[in-house]
Amino acid sequence: MAYHKLALSSLIVNPANDRHGELDSEAAAIAHLFATQEGHMRNLAKDIVLQNEVFEPPLVYPEGDKYVVADGNRRTTCLKLLTNPRQAPTVELQEFFAELKSKWSALEYIECRVEHDLDRVDEILFRRHTGVQKGIGQSNWTDRMQNNFVTRTGKGNGVHIADEIEKRLQAAGLLPSKKIPRANLSRLLSSEPLRNRVGISIKKGQFEIIRNEEQTLSVLRRIADDLAFKRVVLGDIWDTDSKSRYIDSLNREGLLPAEQATTKSEKKSKTPDISAKAKSARATKQVRWPHLIPNVKHDVVWGAHLQRHREIWEELQFRLNIDVHLNAISVLLRVLLELSIDNFVERAPCTTVHENDKLATKAGKVADQLFAEGSINKKYQGAIRKLQQGDGLLSIDTLNRYVHSPNFNVSPEHLRMLWNTLSEFITLCLRV
């Protein structure tokens, strides 16, 4: 295996590409790529121009004084047409590539992986493009893996966060004097909970300011400034914990925006009446979610310290069926509650909790602190404190009996009641 910088003019788009089978010329291969996936080819060309880079070197093999592309034909095609738009198969595509060429810093040479043994080329293609092959081939990411990547980097969520922030800072005359590292800005604000903390949100593909606009623009200006002048670099915001630490530092400086005040009429409109609740219940009954935790976002930033918490949460939200796995769900709910409380006690911190306090006592003390901080209201504080009453149906004692009693029966309805009571409390304990 060797990597070499090769002249783009020396590469041949493969007429025998496995995407389409054998064709009679490079021009026919190029035409076929656009005939079958024009939208993808256009988007790839735009990305190459935007990045001015090809991230994965094409795999090539020599044929005379040229090199045939075994893998990377789409990339190579786009590069060739950006260099010479007249090679595009239609007038419309020629105009498209001519316009892109005007914005592009031409690449005369491209790094390629050169293999002389065609059997080896086929072995590489087999591992790249024929599926997992029991672990031999490339293993595709699951939905969760893809979501982890988007959450970590901010890429692929449909809205370019850095673009949106730059537009608003520019309109307000708040852009820093140096260029903002856009990739780092998107990475920092890649998850909805972190975006919400600085006063912005992305919902249904729309960017919006959700807190005091002046304060939000001010903290966004500070973030942009820190990144532009390299007071904060990629290593400072690489993972969820480091991003949270940076946002926490802005909070300690009093820079995070206040939530918008809610009017009485708005509060009233947010409180559904009984008929609305009944309609919602009927709709839920028709297509009932089969797990304990509803399929909605709870805005928890899943840092590395919450790895086990997240695994339990996802089992309760996506894997364990509430009509089948009652005992497993009841035990895991009890474990999740305790781990969440311990997380709050350690990271908030909650200094009133003592090592020998029982779980119910810990829950009450944490609820008191959340109330004092303004995170919950008096009514909800009371609801959590009532969990200390051993004779209550909704109590910590009931959860303990789920774990320890050989005669205690578990019901789906009771578990759902417990979750409805505990969900906000658990979520708040995980957010610190």
Side-chain angles (χ1 to χ4, degrees):
M1 177 181 69
Y3 287 88
H4 297 288
K5 289 272 190 180
L6 300 177
L8 185 58
S9 59
S10 71
L11 303 184
I12 300 173
V13 176
N14 193 350
N17 186 348
D18 292 317
R19 288 181 182 274
H20 47 64
E22 293 190 18
L23 299 172
D24 60 4
S25 67
E26 179 185 55
I30 291 173
H32 191 280
L33 288 173
F34 282 95
T36 56
Q37 44 188 316
E38 181 175 328
H40 286 188
M41 295 295 289
R42 284 175 177 259
N43 289 335
L44 177 57
K46 290 176 185 176
D47 185 64
I48 289 173
V49 171
L50 179 65
Q51 303 297 334
N52 197 35
E53 182 178 358
V54 174
F55 288 97
E56 188 174 352
L59 171 67
V60 304
Y61 59 88
E63 187 173 274
D65 60 350
K66 301 281 188 177
Y67 293 87
V68 177
V69 179
D71 197 27
N73 283 281
R74 295 192 317 118
R75 281 162 273 161
T76 305
T77 295
C78 288
L79 289 169
K80 280 177 169 281
L81 300 193
L82 285 167
T83 301
N84 182 8
R86 292 181 64 82
Q87 283 187 280
T90 67
V91 173
E92 185 181 4
L93 286 170
Q94 290 174 10
E95 293 173 351
F96 170 77
F97 278 96
E99 183 181 353
L100 283 181
K101 182 181 179 180
S102 67
K103 307 172 186 176
W104 186 54
S105 301
L107 299 174
E108 293 184 22
Y109 292 86
I110 179 173
E111 185 176 51
C112 296
R113 177 176 176 177
V114 181
E115 294 288 351
H116 293 266
D117 185 343
L118 293 182
D119 285 335
R120 181 171 175 79
V121 168
D122 285 341
E123 290 293 343
I124 294 168
L125 294 177
F126 171 72
R127 284 158 178 77
R128 286 185 181 177
H129 295 296
T130 59
V132 179
Q133 299 292 340
K134 298 182 179 179
I136 296 173
Q138 182 168 302
S139 179
N140 294 327
W141 282 355
T142 63
D143 290 345
R144 177 183 173 183
M145 295 170 187
Q146 294 174 24
N147 183 64
N148 287 342
F149 176 79
V150 171
T151 301
R152 178 173 64 83
T153 65
K155 298 180 184 294
N157 62 13
V159 176
H160 201 296
I161 302 167
D163 275 352
E164 298 294 338
I165 291 174
E166 277 193 346
K167 288 177 189 175
R168 283 154 179 79
L169 290 179
Q170 186 173 28
L174 295 175
L175 275 177
S177 57
K178 284 192 173 183
K179 185 177 179 181
I180 302 170
R182 294 150 59 88
N184 287 357
L185 180 56
S186 294
R187 176 184 290 273
L188 172 64
L189 301 175
S190 58
S191 69
E192 186 68 6
L194 293 177
R195 291 193 286 266
N196 292 169
R197 292 189 69 189
V198 301
I200 61 176
S201 174
I202 294 176
K203 293 286 179 68
K204 297 181 179 179
Q206 297 294 320
F207 179 99
E208 62 177 322
I209 292 176
I210 58 173
R211 297 195 176 185
N212 179 280
E213 184 169 355
E214 183 179 353
Q215 294 173 354
T216 296
L217 291 173
S218 177
V219 75
L220 291 176
R221 162 63 198 258
R222 166 61 182 274
I223 291 169
D225 207 59
D226 282 347
L227 293 171
F229 288 90
K230 299 191 183 303
R231 290 188 290 269
V232 174
V233 296
L234 179 59
D236 299 320
I237 53 170
W238 178 255
D239 57 17
T240 302
D241 285 341
S242 57
K243 294 174 194 176
S244 295
R245 283 195 295 271
Y246 173 63
I247 301 297
D248 287 342
S249 72
L250 299 177
N251 187 41
R252 288 192 293 273
E253 293 183 46
L255 298 177
L256 296 188
E259 293 189 37
Q260 298 281 36
T262 305
T263 65
K264 289 183 179 179
S265 61
E266 287 174 329
K267 287 180 180 177
K268 186 175 181 180
S269 67
K270 290 180 181 179
T271 305
D273 59 24
I274 294 175
S275 61
K277 285 184 178 179
K279 291 176 183 177
S280 175
R282 284 197 297 271
T284 303
K285 192 171 183 180
Q286 290 173 1
V287 187
R288 191 174 74 160
W289 184 245
H291 313 290
L292 176 67
I293 301 179
N295 189 24
V296 296
K297 290 187 177 181
H298 291 77
D299 291 340
V300 177
V301 180
W302 296 109
H305 65 287
L306 295 176
Q307 180 179 357
R308 189 173 181 222
H309 309 65
R310 182 180 185 179
E311 289 174 351
I312 293 172
W313 182 291
E314 292 188 347
E315 287 186 30
L316 293 174
Q317 188 173 26
F318 299 115
R319 299 174 197 161
L320 296 176
N321 189 306
I322 198 166
D323 293 319
V324 179
H325 306 109
L326 287 172
N327 289 300
I329 291 172
S330 61
V331 172
L332 282 182
L333 177 58
R334 166 66 169 72
V335 174
L336 180 62
L337 175 63
E338 184 163 11
L339 290 177
S340 302
I341 289 173
D342 288 344
N343 180 70
F344 184 91
V345 171
E346 178 182 351
R347 298 178 71 89
C350 183
T351 56
T352 58
V353 171
H354 305 297
E355 184 177 352
N356 296 325
D357 282 346
K358 293 182 178 180
L359 181 61
T361 304
K362 288 182 182 180
K365 290 181 177 180
V366 168
D368 291 344
Q369 183 161 321
L370 288 171
F371 172 70
E373 295 171 352
S375 299
I376 61 175
N377 58 29
K378 188 71 176 175
K379 182 178 179 181
Y380 193 57
Q381 178 197 22
I384 299 301
R385 279 204 150 277
K386 284 182 181 178
L387 294 174
Q388 299 179 69
Q389 299 174 5
D391 57 346
L393 184 62
L394 298 179
S395 67
I396 301 294
D397 181 64
T398 299
L399 281 171
N400 289 336
R401 280 188 280 169
Y402 275 166
V403 177
H404 300 292
S405 172
N407 302 315
F408 199 77
N409 292 321
V410 185
S411 74
E413 292 72 21
H414 186 222
L415 284 172
R416 285 197 170 94
M417 288 169 58
L418 275 169
W419 175 254
N420 289 339
T421 301
L422 293 170
S423 58
E424 181 181 354
F425 181 68
I426 290 174
T427 303
L428 289 168
C429 288
L430 293 173
R431 284 180 186 167
V432 296

